[in-house]
Amino acid sequence: MSLKCVVIDDEQYAIDAMVGYINKITDLDVFTTYVSALDALTNIKKEDNIDFIFLDIEMPEISGLELAKSLRDKTKFLVFTTGHPSYALNAFDLNASQYLLKPISFAKFATTIDYILKDLTIVNSSVQVTKSRLQFIKADNKSAYHYIDSTEIIYIEAAKNYVLIYTGKEKFVTHMGLNHIETALDPKYFIRVNKSNIIAKNAIKKVEGHTIILNNTKTLQLGDVYKPAFQDFLNGSLLKAGF
């Protein structure tokens, strides 16, 4: 397995360091590098079949976050490489695979690649992947983590710069984008009902018009944008008389 890698950074020494790391890992190959974000935007094509893009954030011409909006569908994995932790929430809203803080050691780089490729191996071997499991999330404390099994989740709520996850017994807080969490959940069991909320389908107690009542008595309003998908779910779950 040989995976194509692209490195985009406005500092050549950072590119050189990343290229050195990539060359140390057997499964990775450097496809090309860009010191100019504009050149990357112009030249990277979907048909290049790129596996990894390693992308800096603070660059002249175009920021890495803006560039990612155009490049995300042109690579399997998008890894931000930056010296600024404050962009993490925005990065995961863009469906980033990982977020590496500079200075990046080879050990950290190798561990990150190993983590990503293990997920790829699971998918390619046709093993059933339980996307509905969130596994570990970061807590407020920098060194603390929570394990959450999605079978216990009732609903999830976005609140400013963090997300609240409600189970039957507890509430968890994590600094992560709602979009990022949504991609980790299995749509067979979860559904987005408005801009700020994702709910477990089996937690619905009653639906009255645009009002959704959950089995913990929480009441949410169905957003117009999400109504068609929600109605399709209801129609597909409706008990019908046989004739």
Side-chain angles (χ1 to χ4, degrees):
M1 177 175 63
S2 183
L3 302 175
K4 291 182 180 179
C5 299
V6 172
V7 183
I8 307 169
D9 199 303
D10 65 308
E11 296 176 317
Q12 187 61 48
Y13 77 88
I15 291 177
D16 293 342
M18 193 60 61
V19 167
Y21 289 169
I22 291 169
N23 288 336
K24 288 182 180 180
I25 297 181
T26 304
D27 293 331
L28 303 186
D29 283 321
V30 177
F31 178 63
T32 189
T33 66
Y34 295 96
V35 75
S36 165
L38 189 57
D39 285 347
L41 178 63
T42 303
N43 292 299
I44 294 176
K45 309 297 181 187
K46 197 165 187 176
E47 51 268 30
D48 290 331
N49 295 316
I50 295 165
D51 297 291
F52 281 91
I53 290 181
F54 298 96
L55 179 59
D56 188 22
I57 290 182
E58 289 202 341
M59 297 185 290
E61 301 174 325
I62 308 170
S63 77
L65 294 174
E66 287 299 316
L67 185 58
K69 293 175 184 178
S70 298
L71 297 184
R72 188 60 190 93
D73 67 341
K74 298 174 183 175
T75 183
K76 290 187 182 73
F77 306 109
L78 175 66
V79 179
F80 282 101
T81 57
T82 177
H84 304 278
S86 58
Y87 295 120
L89 184 61
N90 304 92
F92 285 119
D93 275 341
L94 293 168
N95 198 22
S97 303
Q98 286 292 328
Y99 190 90
L100 292 176
L101 283 175
K102 296 176 181 178
I104 303 166
S105 67
F106 177 69
K108 178 63 177 174
F109 177 82
T111 300
T112 298
I113 298 302
D114 182 61
Y115 175 82
I116 293 173
L117 294 186
K118 275 182 179 177
D119 280 352
L120 181 63
T121 302
I122 290 172
V123 172
N124 287 344
S125 62
S126 300
V127 174
Q128 182 63 39
V129 180
T130 54
K131 279 187 71 182
S132 60
R133 283 193 144 184
L134 284 184
Q135 299 181 341
F136 288 94
I137 61 168
K138 279 193 174 182
D140 279 342
N141 187 323
K142 210 171 167 185
S143 58
Y145 299 83
H146 294 301
Y147 177 79
I148 301 177
D149 191 322
S150 73
T151 59
E152 300 176 353
I153 294 173
I154 295 176
Y155 74 101
I156 302 166
E157 182 174 40
K160 293 184 179 178
N161 295 327
Y162 53 90
V163 166
L164 305 173
I165 301 173
Y166 294 87
T167 67
K169 298 177 181 178
E170 297 178 85
K171 177 179 75 173
F172 299 93
V173 181
T174 183
H175 289 273
M176 188 179 293
L178 191 64
N179 289 342
H180 184 235
I181 287 184
E182 186 176 16
T183 62
L185 296 171
D186 193 328
K188 288 191 296 185
Y189 306 111
F190 293 88
I191 190 165
R192 186 86 167 254
V193 296
N194 57 47
K195 186 178 179 181
S196 303
N197 294 110
I198 299 169
I199 64 172
K201 292 177 179 179
N202 64 3
I204 300 171
K205 184 177 182 180
K206 190 176 183 181
V207 179
E208 293 183 348
H210 281 69
T211 301
I212 302 168
I213 303 168
L214 303 181
N215 57 23
N216 67 342
T217 72
K218 176 68 176 178
T219 299
L220 298 171
Q221 293 300 307
L222 178 61
D224 289 337
V225 172
Y226 303 92
K227 186 177 180 180
F230 188 79
Q231 191 62 54
D232 287 344
F233 153 64
L234 285 182
N235 292 339
S237 306
L238 191 62
L239 183 63
K240 300 173 183 177
F243 294 99

